[in-house]
Amino acid sequence: MLTSREELDAELGEAARAWLDAALAEAADDAARPPTAADDAARPHTPAGGAARSGAADDASRTAASPYVSPSWELRYAAAGRHCGQRHADSVRSLLLVEARAPLASVTRLYDQGTAAERRAVLLTLHLLDLGDTALPLVEDALRANDTRLVAAAVGPYAADHLAPHAWRHAVLKCLFTEVPVAAVARLADRARGDTELARMLTDFAAERTAAGRPVPEDLRTALALTAPAGHPAPPTAAPAPTEES
C-alpha cells in the first residue's frame, strides 16, 4: 500500500527526508522543463478541427528527442530503497513518478531496466499518470511473469481501466493460478458482474481442479459469485468441490 508524502515525512529520518526533498525537486524541475525546438519537431500535429493533444502526448515530447538520456530523478528512483528504506521504497518511487509527470519513455525505461521492486512501483503508479492505454505492454509483461508481487501490482486500477475484457479475464485467472488474492484485482466486482464468459472460465477451472482431486480455492468461489447479474444467484461450482480446508 502506498503512503502519502505527509506519512513519509512522519516516518523517515532527517537524512532520508532531505534526500526525498532533493529527489522530488529534481523530478519537478524535469516536469516543468519547457519543450525544446527538437521536442516541438517531434510532436505529432493535431489536424485542424481535431481533438486537443492529450497530456500523455505532451509528456512524451519531453523525451522523444533524446530517448537514451535519463533525467537525474530516474537515478534517484533506483536509489530510493537505499536512502529511504525498502519499506518505503514503493511510496517514494511512486511520488517521484507523479512529481515528474513521468512520460511513457521514462516509465518504460524504469520498468525494463529495473529490479522487481522497481517494476512493481511502476505498476502501482500507472493509474496516477496521464498515459492513457499506452502503458498496457508493461501490464501485459507483468502478467506473463511468475513473480506474484508483479502480478498483484499489475491487476490494480490501471488494468481495471484499460485491459480489454479477454485480457482482464485471463488476469483474474492468473491470480488464481499463482495464488495472488483476488482482493488485489481492482474493481473486480464492477467488471465481473454479469460476465458470463468469466463465469464459464472459472467454472471450467473449478471442474478441472475437482476432477484432479485438488481443492477449489475460496477465492475462485468469491470471483464466481461476483459474476452473477444483480439480483441473481451465482452459478454453482463443480460438485463435489472440496475446499482448501477439506
Side-chain angles (χ1 to χ4, degrees):
M1 182 177 178
L2 299 177
T3 55
S4 68
R5 174 67 192 278
E6 291 72 20
E7 291 170 317
L8 284 172
D9 281 345
E11 296 181 19
L12 294 175
E14 183 177 352
R17 287 198 305 272
W19 182 91
L20 180 56
D21 286 342
L24 291 174
E26 290 176 14
D29 286 346
D30 188 62
R33 181 179 67 82
T36 65
D39 291 334
D40 290 334
R43 284 181 178 152
H45 296 287
T46 302
R53 283 166 32 81
S54 69
D58 285 331
D59 286 347
S61 71
R62 286 163 43 205
T63 53
S66 302
Y68 303 109
V69 177
S70 299
S72 60
W73 68 265
E74 291 188 21
L75 301 178
R76 300 273 196 173
Y77 181 94
R82 225 168 33 247
H83 290 274
C84 298
Q86 294 302 326
R87 185 164 69 92
H88 300 301
D90 281 346
S91 298
V92 169
R93 289 174 176 138
S94 182
L95 286 173
L96 283 170
L97 289 167
V98 171
E99 192 70 28
R101 289 194 293 110
L104 182 63
S106 288
V107 169
T108 301
R109 183 165 49 238
L110 292 170
Y111 181 90
D112 287 346
Q113 299 177 4
T115 63
E118 291 162 23
R119 291 183 171 200
R120 182 179 65 245
V122 166
L123 295 166
L124 291 172
T125 312
L126 289 177
H127 68 291
L128 301 176
L129 304 174
D130 187 14
L131 297 171
D133 63 0
T134 60
L136 273 176
L138 307 185
V139 172
E140 292 163 352
D141 178 81
L143 289 172
R144 288 191 293 269
N146 291 320
D147 188 328
T148 55
R149 297 170 301 170
L150 296 183
V151 174
V155 292
Y158 186 84
D161 289 341
H162 297 291
L163 270 182
H166 179 74
W168 182 81
R169 293 180 192 118
H170 280 277
V172 174
L173 283 177
K174 177 78 175 195
C175 288
L176 294 171
F177 291 145
T178 58
E179 300 183 353
V180 169
V182 294
V185 182
R187 290 179 41 215
L188 175 62
D190 291 341
R191 290 203 60 165
R193 186 177 298 114
D195 190 334
T196 56
E197 178 60 14
L198 177 61
R200 182 196 65 76
M201 294 167 70
L202 293 172
T203 302
D204 288 350
F205 181 40
E208 290 171 7
R209 290 185 67 94
T210 300
R214 302 180 66 191
V216 175
E218 191 59 36
D219 264 3
L220 187 149
R221 301 175 190 278
T222 298
L224 186 60
L226 293 173
T227 65
H232 293 267
T237 54
T243 65
E244 295 284 5
E245 289 75 25
S246 63

